[in-house]
Amino acid sequence: TLYERIQSAKINSSSAERKWQASNNTGMDLYGRWFSEFTIDAILEHMNKLLEIPGSKLFFGGEPLENRSIPSINGAVKPTTIYVPLEEILKDINYHHVTTKIFAPFQ
């Protein structure tokens, strides 16, 4: 059932996230780690992975901010929204990409 697939995805995702956190514990504070991982290029790369999912659409955004004073390392992109069909989100191959946390105006 749909409920069972969502529950399974939640369990598998949280396990992978804990493994990732443990393997990446370099002593850097979490705030610093967020900003070092989500550069403009990393956010745009993530967006492009989502847009490769069948049926996904970019509603708006998806571009770096213009005339900014924010360094590129801080992921300065325009607010972005991407639609991904629910049936694609629930597929194991897509679930990780769709549920990746981005510290930016990105949904």
Side-chain angles (χ1 to χ4, degrees):
T1 67
L2 177 61
Y3 176 78
E4 290 167 334
R5 287 188 56 85
I6 291 172
Q7 285 300 104
S8 172
K10 281 183 178 179
I11 291 167
N12 292 330
S13 174
S14 65
S15 297
E17 187 172 354
R18 272 183 262 159
K19 288 178 193 171
W20 176 83
Q21 287 173 345
S23 68
N24 287 303
N25 189 1
T26 61
M28 181 188 289
D29 65 87
L30 291 177
Y31 183 79
R33 193 175 339 163
W34 273 107
F35 281 106
S36 66
E37 290 178 15
F38 292 109
T39 63
I40 291 174
D41 290 339
I43 291 174
L44 295 178
E45 180 181 332
H46 177 69
M47 178 191 73
N48 289 328
K49 285 180 186 175
L50 293 175
L51 291 172
E52 290 174 4
I53 297 172
S56 64
K57 300 174 200 170
L58 175 66
F59 281 159
F60 58 83
E63 301 173 354
L65 290 174
E66 298 170 5
N67 302 320
R68 66 182 186 277
S69 60
I70 304 167
S72 296
I73 195 169
N74 293 115
V77 298
K78 292 181 179 179
T80 300
T81 296
I82 296 175
Y83 167 80
V84 179
L86 182 58
E87 60 272 7
E88 293 296 328
I89 292 171
L90 296 176
K91 292 181 180 177
D92 291 338
I93 194 167
N94 297 329
Y95 188 80
H96 172 72
H97 296 298
V98 175
T99 59
T100 296
K101 297 175 188 171
I102 301 283
F103 188 71
F106 191 95
Q107 56 179 328

